[in-house]
Structures are given as C-alpha cells and as structure tokens.
C-alpha cells in the first residue's frame, strides 16, 4: 500500500494521538483494521478507482469511528475538535469526485450505524430518517405508509441520505420532486465542537434565513448531518411515458425548454445526443431520443405528457418506440460498461453542469468539442436531464485511451498510471474549462470534492472567501473534511 | 415628535458623527430633512401606524442615504462599517413587523434609487433587476418580453424586490411559482465592509451550499441585496378558476392537502373559515369557501382544476358561484378595512404561520381560540393559503377594542395608546404562543422584524446562536439592521 499522486493530495496527513484513539474507542465503535481503513481511503472518484486497481490507496485514515446515535456523533466531534484532528464524514462513499476521501488523514466518521426511518407523519408526508440510511432501506420503510420519497440518483442502492444532502444531489425524478434541497424539510446537524442544531422540519418559513441550506451541498465541511426530515409523496396513482425522435440536440433542447416553461414538470425528461441515442436508444446517429415519464395523479400525468408531445412536435419530433422508456428503466443504474473500460486501463468519466436554457446548446457543443480535441480522446457525448424553468443539466460522458496519446509516462514503476492520469486531467481541463467559459456552473449534482477544487476559485469568486469565513466560524480548528475546496480550511 | 414605547426599542440610538455625514454626502445622495427621517422611522407595523396616528415616531435615523449604484452602496457600507454606525436597509417599508425601522438610529440606506430591470434573458426567463424596483415596475418591464415573474404579495404595488427577498416572502401565486426563495436564481450582495458577492444566477448547482439562501429572509442583517436575477415564466396561455363550498374548515384542509399531495399546484388555492367566508365570500356562517385559480398551459390548468374538484368533492364540497374568484381578484390588495379600524383606535393585525398538514387544523383552532379568549378581542379568523406538498400557511386576522378590556391605561398624555398596545400585545402573546405550542413556525411570510423578536429564541433554538456567530463573521461591527432578533448583533 502506497499513497497516491502528491499533486492531488498536497498537504500532510495529520497524526492521530493514541489518547484520541482510546477516547474514540470509549465513545463509540471504532475500527483500525487495515481492510476498513483501505476502504475508507477511497470513493468512486475514477482516479481513486484507478489507484485501487493498482493496489494503491488515496489516503488512509487512522481510524474509522462508527457512532450509533447523535450523542455518539457529538462525542466524536468534541474529541476531534479538542485534539484538532481531521474528521471526514463518509456514507456510502459512492461520490465520484473524492469528497469522502480523508485528504488529511485523521478520523473518518462512518454513518453506517446511523440507519433507519425513525418516524413517519403519513398525513403530511414527512419522513424522519437517520443520515446513514441507504436508498432502498428508506423507500422500503415508507412504502407501507403509501409513500415514496422519490430521490433516485444512479447510486440509489449505494448511497445514503446524508450523502445525498452533503452532495446537494439530484435524482432521476427531480424534474417533478425537485433536487434533494427541495426534498429536505428539516435537518439535525452536529457542528465541529459538538453543538447540536435542529433546523425544521417546516413546510416553509420566513423566520430568518433557511440555515439548513448552508449544510446542503457543504460536503461535510460545515457540519455533520445526522438526521433529516424528507418530504414524501403518495405512491403515484398513475404512471405513463413516451419516446420522441428529435432531428437535433438543439431541437430537443427547444422542446424541453418549451415544456418546462409552459409549467410541465414530468418526473423524467431526458434528451440524448445522436451518439448516445445510437449507443443505447436504438438510434442510427441521425436523430436524438427524448424520453419522458411521469408519475402523479392521472389527470396531471395525461396533461404533462400532452404538453411534452405538443412541444416536441413543434420542434419537428416524431413518435418513437415507447419501449425505449422501459429499456431506460431497466438499465438506468447499470454502470458495468464504465467498469469494463476502467479495468482496461481507459479513461472513462462524467462531467455534469447546469446552464440556463439560452446557453445550454453552446455548453453542450463547447464541452464535447473541447474534450474531443484532447489527444487520446475516443468519445465525448452528452445528455440533458434534470430540467428547471430556467435551464437544465448537461451531463457529459467521455472516454479516452491513454495508449493513443503522445505523452510521456510517469513513474515507470506504476506502469501506465501516469498516462491515464494525464489524459484524465487533460480531458477534465478541456471540458470543465469550456463549460465555465460557456456560462455553466461548476457542477449540477456530483459536487466538488477533491477533483474539482482546482476550479472552485474561478467558479465561485468572492463567495468562496465568504464561505471560508463561515467555515472558520462554525469549525474554528478546521477539522471537518479539510484539504479540499474551502481555502485555508485545514489551518 | 417623541420617541415611542421604550420596551419595544430597548437600547440606545447611536450617534452619527458629522464626519460620517459629510462623507455620506460625498458618496451619494443623502437626506437629513425631517419629513424623510420621519418617514424612514416607520413601516406598516401596526404599532408604528398607531404611533404615527398620534404624531409619534418609532426611532428616527440621523440620515437617509440613497445610493444609485452598487458602487455607491459599497461606499455607504464601508463608511458605516468604519464609523461603526448602524445601517438599516429600507425598500418600500411595507413590512408589518417593524423590520425596516432603524431600531438603533444611525443611517437608513434607501434602495429607491436602485431601480429598474437591467437585463432580460427571454429564452431562459431570467430577469436581472435592481433591489429597489417595485412590483408594478418589474412586471411592466418584463411583460413586453412575454414574461411574468408572478410574485404578488398583498403589498405588490408598495414593496420592492429587495424587500421581498429580505422578508423571504410568498406571493398570492406561490403554490405554482414558489415563494421568493424559489424565484431567486441569483443575487448580488454587499457585505457590511463593502465586499461584493455575486451568487449565481444558476438554474441549479451542487458546487457547495447555496450561499444566496443565507441572505433570503435575513431582513438586511447579514448583507445588503443590491440586485437579483429572478425566474420569470411565459405569460400564461390559459387561466381558469372555480369556487367550492366546504362543510367545515377541516374538510377544506383535507381537500387542499389531497390536491397538493396528488401533485397539483394551482397558482391560487385559498380556504376561508366560516366567519371570513360570511364576511367576504357570500357565506352565511355555516360553510367555508375554497377558491382555486390556475395559470399555465391549458392542459395543465384543466388537469389541476380537475384534481382540486375531485379532492373537494371527496370532502363533501358543493360547487359555489365562480364569481367569488373574480371578486377576490378585485379586492385582494384592498386594506381599507384595516385602516378604518386602525383610525378608530382598534387593534387590527394579522399573524401568519406555516404548519405541516397533520397539525394545520389544530393550529387553526388553537390560535383562534387563544386570541378570542383575550379580554377585548372582537374577532379572530383564519384562512389557509400558500400550500406545499407537506403543509400550508394559516393566516389569522384579529380585531380588538381596547375600550372593551379591563386594564389600566398607560401614560395619560397619550390617551388610549397604552390600552391599545396592551391589547395588541396580549392578542399576539396568545396567538403566537398557541401557534408555536401547536407545532407551527414563527412566521410564514411576514418575517420577524421587531415585533416577533421576543419569540425568536423559542422558535429557532440553538440555530439562533449559530446565526449570530455567522452574523459576527459577516458583519463584525454589528452595523447591519441591529437591535432586532439576532442576539448581540449591536455589539
């Protein structure tokens, strides 16, 4: 076991004093076995996966604390705060940008023992759930009440409620139910010094700002989310879908835009470029598939599909085989293709951003063109999903063959890893740079983590300094998930 | 001119040095004439109105600065920061809880010169607007682009974009378009020391937490909102409405709940108790009016009204005269009845809270009962509006006759003012206390201001301390709107 590329994890791993380990063991279940420390050294960041394939870890923590209650979380936080030792919270570790990796070593707080739905208000549709609860466990617990939360990221079966909140993620039904930010009615948060905050739950409020928003998307840097109250809906009375064949990506974006701006909010509305349509949706490279699916009261589902049909036809769409929607449902969480390419030593990764409707086509074109121009690139494709009244998410998938390029290898002792890292870095540099220049956000739902820290100053501007100041206030010793994108957070 | 009841404005008025006044005059238009200082000593807080009727002001600022650009706002902030002089931002001063009153004197920053729509992205529906722009000016500027923002509080023609944001308000169409928090795609904010933040605009993001949320609802205590990007929709292709006669308030709440939980989001959905229905909606005291109105694509409007009809009938509703909806539109912003009672020396005020569906009927009953039990109370009624998937707003109107009660008068020099204040305070104490005990929020859309500061610790708990710490970070000299609900904010 060796630690990985220093340029990604610049900065030291902090020492963990024996006295702290003893105190953690007294406070809650605490693991120090190698297999568990290795597992908590990585998430689904493709670089971490590439390293793992070669027997390397990113950075191991000294211990994994596994508190089983909010009080135990408070005790762990107070101890790390007192010892000034990094404390990185981890849930399912399914993030793809390294957010769960303990960049400065120290202690990982695993939420795996904070599991379960502890209360359901079926009349209001409020679900009180612990942060380490995984997707299937959540939905299985609320279904007997006739409810569904409906947050379904691709990582649904691997990820936790706390991870969804920390990443400010969006699920596949977000166009109807909203991103996780809209699903959170309340939070319980433990601050670095053990202070306990209860924020909500409330359907709406004007009693000061929405402080819960500060912890949604903070990736464990500002506090530890221990519990959430999520909004759940009745199990839908009706479901229906349709597929459309659009003459171009721009026409498809026009159809989506028109439908959203008319007030339609179909649970699923996904547009694939010609190449993704050929790869997975029965296309021949000349048209783009638009899939729509909705779940709600029957009147609303019918009306929503009617609006989408009208808007699609106005852009020259023709009806496509509705079984394309079923096929998408059958394969939507399948990432085996990704793993196959990773195992071959290729670069495969995704990059998702949001942009206003007026900029979306330019973002889609600019990013694909920029990535494809990188020597070694094999493909750069896009689909559009997660729509809003003012814009949508453009989700890029790119593949590269490090053997194609004309660049030197790194340390010969690690084989082709240097070339893979260089190509991965160059494709990201091209793609994320083009996205920002075209007016897109840094991220739509994957977050920042380790990998995107390099663009945070450009994307966030002066607000990053304000966030750093707030971080110093809430976490004066800089113990919570340090060494990533908040400047000076590991003082 | 005399200053008002000390118990409401405990704490000194800060001195404003002549050097600061001179510097403000050099930085931007600055007023010191009595009429303008008087006007900026009050908003629509009923106590401030009662005082004004008697020739009293709440607390006058020493100057009213009227910056005409973001750079001028920064200059004013830097000056007040350097001199450690309170700076209270004011827009239309139509708030009803005293938020715009300069509780510690100092300088008022009027946004009236920061006016106008400065950019429209009609394709995305993004409107760039300055903070001092009033409702009609905003909508008049976007209508030629085929757009409508649709934020319509009762104060629409008196209030500003910055005020809507500062108060975290909700307009009459919020069930379809969302509260102001959902309409804000981005903000420009000036911090106490003049730091300029640009947050967004973006349709969605996972690049760290949504820092803009921190300034929505902060009532000018954390920063000065100078500009916003608001989401606008196409002018609706269809509009329709209906009225229903419900056998009870509980049945009406059941119908609203079922419709929202089925996925319907009618722009307007309002339920009046028996007494409000008799007063304004053609009732005889035995039934409750439920008004529904929607604006969107025709398919969606039809489906939405169909869902509401189905849910209403399931609760025993009968169809009522649809002209009730037209009558509501004709009178919705009319507050002349309120002014008539105020002029007679009566107490008239409103209290709005949010609660989950499961608690809404108990909140409605508990608050009305508690207020009605106060000696001198003449009426306490409720309507339910601004619905969400998990709950709704209960909006109470209460009237009292200070001559009815059995309490001593205050200072004989001000006539019946002591009795009026005492009755007003007792009705609030009863109503807000009952609301909190029944599980409602402190506020739904009016905010906290001066009047509700007394309940902030109970309603917000430990999070109030966290907010105070963030306040000290962003505004270390405590100059922004001090002396209200953030503890220790005027250090």
């Amino acid at each position: 076991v060796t630690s990985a590329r220093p340029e990604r994890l610049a900065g030291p791993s902090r020492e963990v004093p024996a006295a702290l380990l003893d105190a953690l063991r007294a406070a809650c279940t605490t693991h120090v076995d190698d297999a568990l420390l290795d597992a908590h050294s990585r998430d689904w960041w493709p670089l971490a996966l590439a390293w793992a394939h070669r027997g390397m870890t990113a950075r191991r923590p000294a211990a994994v604390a596994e508190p089983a209650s909010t009080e135990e979380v408070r005790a762990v936080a107070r101890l790390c705060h007192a010892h000034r030792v990094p404390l990185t919270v981890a849930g399912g570790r399914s993030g793809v940008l390294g957010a769960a990796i303990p960049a400065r070593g120290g202690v990982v707080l695993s939420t795996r023992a904070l599991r379960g739905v502890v209360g359901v208000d079926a009349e209001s549709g409020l679900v009180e759930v612990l942060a380490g609860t995984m997707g299937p466990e959540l939905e299985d617990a609320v279904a007997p009440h006739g409810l569904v939360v409906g947050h379904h990221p691709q990582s649904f079966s691997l990820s936790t409620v706390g991870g969804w909140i920390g990443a400010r993620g969006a699920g596949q039904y977000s166009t109807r139910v909203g991103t996780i930010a809209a699903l959170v009615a309340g939070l319980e948060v433990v601050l670095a010094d053990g202070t306990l905050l209860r924020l909500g739950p409330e359907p709406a409020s004007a009693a000061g700002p929405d402080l819960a928003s500060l912890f949604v998307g903070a990736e464990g840097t500002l506090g530890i989310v221990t519990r959430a109250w999520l909004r759940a809906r009745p199990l839908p009375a009706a479901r229906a879908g349709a597929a459309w064949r659009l003459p171009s990506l721009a026409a498809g974006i026009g159809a989506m835009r028109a439908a959203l701006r008319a007030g339609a909010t179909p649970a699923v509305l996904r547009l694939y470029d010609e190449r993704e349509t050929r790869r997975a949706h029965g296309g021949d490279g000349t048209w783009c598939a638009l899939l729509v699916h909705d779940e709600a009261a029957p009147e609303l589902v019918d009306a929503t599909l009617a609006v989408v049909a009208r808007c699609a036809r106005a852009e020259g769409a023709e009806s496509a085989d509705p079984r394309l929607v079923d096929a998408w449902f059958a394969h939507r969480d399948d990432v085996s293709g990704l793993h196959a390419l990773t195992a071959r030593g290729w670069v495969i990764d995704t990059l998702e951003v949001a942009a206003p409707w007026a900029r979306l086509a330019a973002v889609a074109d600019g990013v694909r063109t920029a990535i494809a121009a990188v020597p070694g690139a094999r493909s750069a494709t896009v689909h559009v999903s997660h729509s809003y009244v003012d814009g949508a998410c453009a989700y890029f998938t790119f593949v590269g063959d490090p053997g194609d390029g004309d660049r030197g290898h790194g340390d010969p002792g690690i084989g082709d890893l240097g070339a893979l890292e260089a190509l991965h870095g160059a494709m990201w540099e091209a793609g994320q740079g083009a996205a920002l220049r075209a007016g897109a956000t840094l991220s739509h739902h994957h977050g920042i983590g380790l990998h995107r820290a390099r663009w945070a100053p450009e994307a966030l501007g002066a607000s990053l300094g304000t966030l750093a100041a707030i971080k110093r206030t809430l976490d004066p010793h800089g113990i919570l998930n340090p060494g990533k994108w908040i400047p000076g957070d590991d003082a």
Side-chain angles (χ1 to χ4, degrees), chain A residues 54 125 235 319:
Chain A
R54 290 157 180 83
L235 288 163
S319 189

Side-chain angles (χ1 to χ4, degrees), chain A residues 309-326:
Chain A
R310 173 161 60 75
C311 295
R313 287 205 185 90
E315 295 284 348
E318 292 173 20
S319 189
D321 187 340
R323 285 172 302 180
L324 291 177
V325 179
D326 305 324

Side-chain angles (χ1 to χ4, degrees), chain A residues 68-89:
Chain A
S69 68
T70 299
E71 282 309 310
E72 289 189 0
V73 172
R74 299 179 73 186
V76 170
R78 279 191 292 253
L79 286 168
C80 290
H81 178 73
H83 286 271
R84 306 194 178 206
V85 162
L87 179 60
T88 298
V89 68

Side-chain angles (χ1 to χ4, degrees), chain A residues 6 29 56 63 69 92 130 135 145 149 156 167-168 175 204 228 285 309 326 330 334 342 348 376 386 421 451 482:
Chain A
T29 302
M56 301 163 68
S69 68
L130 301 182
H145 297 273
V149 173
F156 176 71
R168 204 170 151 195
T175 303
D326 305 324
D334 177 6
T342 301
I348 171 149
H386 311 284
E421 288 179 342
H451 191 78

Side-chain angles (χ1 to χ4, degrees), chain A residues 29 63 71 86 96 130 145 170 174 198 257 281 322 335 349 423 473:
Chain A
T29 302
E71 282 309 310
V96 294
L130 301 182
H145 297 273
S174 74
R198 163 132 178 206
R257 185 187 80 87
H281 305 287
V335 291
D349 208 345
L423 178 57
T473 302

